[in-house]
Amino acid sequence: MYCLSCGQLIPQAQSAPPVPAPFAGAKPAPSAAPVVQAPVQAAPVEPVPLPRSLPWQQTPRVETMPAPPTAAPAAVERVELLFSTGQRVVVEGAAVVGRKPADTALAMGARAVEVLDDTRSVSRVHLFLEVSGGGITVGDAGSANGSRLERGGREIELESAGTRVPAVIGDTVWLGDLSFVIQAA
């Protein structure tokens, strides 16, 4: 209830809520002795480890692919990627390749390489590429259509969100239906 002059709430005595008729008179039957149950010991629950599901949280494993039968490749500091769409991109260090890789690249401290793909066979974040220590490694970023590395007519399927594979100048990397050739810059 409210005061008509000031609008303040006036406390009222608490009343019990109404009880439906069939339950109003029902009382539990008294028992002779109360039943006491012993506490049940539950088995300890072990925590379930969650996988490190984001690609940049995983420790890269390097899978080897046979090197071409030529002399040992020279140390590589940067490469040029020549895409089948006609795009050309020079990469130093780490790069994230995809349709919209900017956010992931920013989180990783890598360069974003945005691929123009009208067919949408390239994922938003499709591939990781790294040029460091005089070598090149590529790894699929958990893409929907997968990635492949082609060398000398032989293709190796890159594992989804995992294994980094060494690449060399002249290799072709497939991103869905598009590809790029790794060239010396």
Side-chain angles (χ1 to χ4, degrees), residues 152-169:
R154 182 172 173 233
E155 286 187 3
I156 181 171
E157 190 81 23
L158 301 180
E159 289 182 19
S160 180
T163 307
R164 304 283 174 108
V165 176
V168 296
I169 301 296

Side-chain angles (χ1 to χ4, degrees), residues 1 15 31 57 91 98-99 125 139 160 164 175:
M1 178 177 285
S15 62
S31 61
Q57 293 174 330
V91 174
R99 280 185 299 117
V125 175
S160 180
R164 304 283 174 108
L175 313 167

